[in-house]
Amino acid sequence: MTPRTCRSAWRIRRSLRKPLPSQVLMSDHCAQLSWTASPFSTWIEISGPSHLRFIQGLCTNDVVVLESGSGCEAFFPTVQGKILAHGFVYKSDDRLEFLGLGDQSPGLLPHLQKYSMIEDVEVNDRSTQGNAIFVWGEGLEACLQELLGSEVTLGTSQHGTITWEGATLRLFRISVVGKPSVEIRGEQAEAFGTRLSECGATSVGIEVFQRDRIVNRFPWHGVDISAEHLAQEANRDDLAISFKKGCYLGQETIARIDALGHVNKKLVAVQLPKQVEELPLAIKVEEKEVGQVVSAAELDGQTRGLAMIRRSHNAAGTKIECELGTVEVL
């Protein structure tokens, strides 16, 4: 199956309303939102005459078909088809940008710089530049409209630029928590978060983001997946891998696995019988390890998790009787 990409343009349309004064009122829309310091610590920019061809040859998704202002989820695989990095690639007229959870620069940046030596491209690590917050919740677009005095249309995986109180902010739509969400980058990003709180949004810790991304089955590179895992073991084929694009690094292994029809293990969502104190935690059946719980979070009195489980036990609905109790694959 082909991955999902968004081709509609980013739109910010001026409304007839005047911008809100500095003393804003509590908003029902904003009250539905949560925000935290952005967990997307990796931000790499690729520019130059060959930037599009360059990244097309190094990632699993088809960035050529993207329109400017849109993006897609992708892996950057090794020659062996293993996951060097995972995140989102965004396209502008003159550059591509990669955003990834956690600090993936130490692995990805040298990889890109190595291959850039034979291409007319420039690779820049922007990870430490500016501030960034992550905002999510059902009232997102309406709340932004109230704050900006503009209609903000946020399509899936789109990005764009807004001006707020004289400051420039970058907005990246990132689908990781199962609710409308956006990362906001810029020197005044934290101040914008404070304004959201004044309007009724809730400033939360990273553990709330972790809970929501775990429930939404989104992996964190370096926690749930790593350079030891094959791309298909992350269980993101439909969203992050194009099986129709041309050649790229690691494609031979990925295509061979696709032809074979399965990998020996993959990341799945699980229901756990109790809270987990230490991770990763082995799942053993008759003293034989069949998987590992790699992330876990509490939701409504239940413990949900992500686990890398062998093919013999990872089908949805499977109930694994182990030392923990009953682990159910969701």
Side-chain angles (χ1 to χ4, degrees), residues 38-195:
S38 178
F40 286 84
S41 303
T42 305
W43 180 24
I44 296 176
E45 180 185 276
I46 306 95
S47 59
S50 303
H51 72 279
L52 193 58
R53 181 182 65 191
F54 175 65
I55 294 301
Q56 181 78 344
L58 292 176
C59 77
T60 57
N61 215 332
D62 194 344
V63 298
V64 170
V65 301
L66 296 175
E67 291 188 358
S68 182
S70 63
C72 62
E73 185 178 340
F75 297 108
F76 283 81
T78 65
V79 175
Q80 296 80 20
K82 295 189 175 182
I83 307 169
L84 186 64
H86 168 245
F88 296 85
V89 178
Y90 294 91
K91 185 178 182 180
S92 299
D93 290 337
D94 59 349
R95 66 189 182 278
L96 292 167
E97 294 165 280
F98 172 79
L99 291 178
L101 284 174
D103 185 9
Q104 301 184 52
S105 292
L108 180 58
L109 193 60
H111 178 75
L112 296 177
Q113 290 171 335
K114 172 185 174 181
Y115 288 98
S116 70
M117 296 176 65
I118 57 175
E119 293 282 359
D120 191 6
V121 297
E122 184 175 346
V123 178
N124 291 297
D125 189 359
R126 307 292 191 195
S127 302
T128 60
Q129 296 183 6
N131 300 311
I133 63 173
F134 188 80
V135 187
W136 70 105
E138 297 301 333
L140 179 63
E141 291 188 16
C143 182
L144 291 179
Q145 180 174 332
E146 291 176 1
L147 280 176
L148 299 171
S150 306
E151 181 179 346
V152 180
T153 302
L154 296 169
T156 303
S157 297
Q158 291 183 337
H159 69 101
T161 302
I162 62 170
T163 300
W164 176 71
E165 295 193 349
T168 298
L169 297 174
R170 298 286 309 282
L171 274 65
F172 294 89
R173 180 71 183 269
I174 304 178
S175 301
V176 295
V177 291
K179 301 175 183 177
S181 55
V182 65
E183 189 200 56
I184 301 175
R185 285 185 173 264
E187 293 299 329
Q188 295 300 313
E190 290 184 8
F192 191 82
T194 300
R195 179 62 60 85

Side-chain angles (χ1 to χ4, degrees), residues 207-225:
E207 68 278 359
V208 179
F209 170 84
Q210 291 283 23
R211 178 201 66 196
D212 287 356
R213 69 102 187 160
I214 289 169
V215 171
N216 196 47
R217 310 181 185 207
F218 192 88
W220 186 301
H221 190 276
V223 177
D224 307 309
I225 55 176

